[in-house]
Amino acid sequence: MSQAESNSALQKGRVLPLMEEFYTIQGEGFYSGNAAYFIRLGGCDVGCHWCDVKESWDPELHPLTRVETIVENASKEAKLAVITGGEPLMYNLDYLTARLKEAGMQTNIETSGAYEMSGDFDWVCLSPKKAKLPTASAYQAADELKVIIYNKHDFIFAEEQAAKVNKDALLLLQTEWSKRHEMMPLIIEYVKKNPKWKISLQTHKYLDIP
C-alpha cells in the first residue's frame, strides 16, 4: 500500500495505528469485573503528565492495522470490545464499530472526549483532561464521567465537568494510581458528602493483570 493509499485508508478508519490488543478483565468504571477485549490505538495529543501509557502518544510508533484483522482477533476471544488509547477519537471509528457489531460484539470506548464523537458505541466512558477539554458531542454521549483525582483542585474540576455532561451520566471519581494513598481518604470523604458521585478503583492493578 502506497503512502497516499495508507493515508486515505487511515482517514476512512479502514486501518488504525494499533498499539496493543489483549483480552483481560475490565478494571475500571461501570464495567469493572467484566471480561473485555481491549483495542488500544496509538496517538494522543492531550499530554497528561501522569499518563501511564505515554508510549501511546506517537502514532507513528504503532503499525497501521486493517480493521478486519482487529475485529477477527477480538471476536475470537470476547463479546465486549473496549476501544481505548492514546486518544481513540483522533480517528474515525465508524468503520471499526460497524464491523465489531457485525461480529456480534458490544462496543465500549474510553476517551478524553477531546475530539468529536464517531463510531456507534454501547457505552461511552468520558474521562476529561484539563489540557484539552471535551467537545459538546462527547459530553452529550457520556454514559459515565470518570474524573481522575491527582490533587485537591481536581474535585473542583470534577464538579465543573459534571455540570456539562448529560443528566443520566454516571459520576465516578478515581484516584491517580501514584497518589492513591494520599488522595483515596479525601475521595472517600468527598463521596460521603456528595453521594451523587461513586468511587472507581483500578482493580486490574490490584489483581496485577493488564
Side-chain angles (χ1 to χ4, degrees):
M1 187 181 296
S2 69
Q3 186 63 47
E5 290 172 329
S6 294
N7 291 340
S8 176
L10 179 61
Q11 190 173 32
K12 295 175 182 177
R14 302 301 178 97
V15 298
L16 294 164
L18 182 65
M19 176 182 167
E20 58 181 347
E21 53 185 338
F22 52 92
Y23 189 38
T24 187
I25 303 296
Q26 170 64 282
E28 304 176 7
F30 180 78
Y31 276 87
S32 179
N34 285 269
Y37 194 90
F38 276 73
I39 300 167
R40 187 183 301 281
L41 303 181
C44 184
D45 59 2
V46 179
C48 304
H49 64 90
W50 40 258
C51 176
D52 56 4
V53 282
K54 289 182 179 177
E55 61 271 27
S56 72
W57 289 5
D58 185 353
E60 294 187 6
L61 297 179
H62 309 294
L64 290 178
T65 305
R66 294 176 66 248
V67 161
E68 287 77 11
T69 301
I70 296 172
V71 172
E72 181 182 1
N73 293 341
S75 60
K76 284 190 293 191
E77 298 274 15
K79 292 296 184 184
L80 169 61
V82 179
I83 316 303
T84 186
E87 176 39 67
L89 288 178
M90 289 179 68
Y91 310 102
N92 184 337
L93 300 178
D94 293 341
Y95 188 71
L96 173 61
T97 55
R99 299 290 82 77
L100 287 168
K101 285 183 173 293
E102 282 182 1
M105 298 194 71
Q106 178 177 337
T107 56
N108 292 13
I109 188 172
E110 297 182 355
T111 175
S112 70
Y115 289 84
E116 294 295 335
M117 293 295 302
S118 65
D120 181 7
F121 290 101
D122 298 297
W123 190 263
V124 175
C125 173
L126 176 64
S127 186
K129 306 300 186 294
K130 296 174 185 175
K132 197 166 187 178
L133 293 174
T135 62
S137 64
Y139 284 125
Q140 184 58 38
D143 293 293
E144 69 179 74
L145 173 71
K146 183 177 69 181
V147 180
I148 307 303
I149 303 297
Y150 184 81
N151 55 43
K152 292 180 180 179
H153 184 271
D154 289 331
F155 290 109
I156 299 173
F157 178 69
E159 294 293 351
E160 292 171 348
Q161 298 305 294
K164 295 181 179 181
V165 294
N166 68 82
K167 63 181 179 61
D168 296 320
L170 180 66
L171 304 180
L172 300 175
L173 299 176
Q174 178 176 297
T175 180
E176 197 277 326
W177 182 251
S178 70
K179 294 282 190 173
R180 63 192 184 281
H181 298 301
E182 176 185 349
M183 300 309 298
M184 185 56 77
L186 300 183
I187 293 175
I188 291 170
E189 289 305 310
Y190 193 86
V191 170
K192 287 164 66 176
K193 293 177 182 177
N194 302 274
K196 68 180 181 181
W197 292 94
K198 296 182 178 181
I199 294 175
S200 173
L201 298 174
Q202 289 184 296
T203 57
H204 57 293
K205 293 190 175 180
Y206 292 101
L207 295 172
D208 194 26
I209 57 175

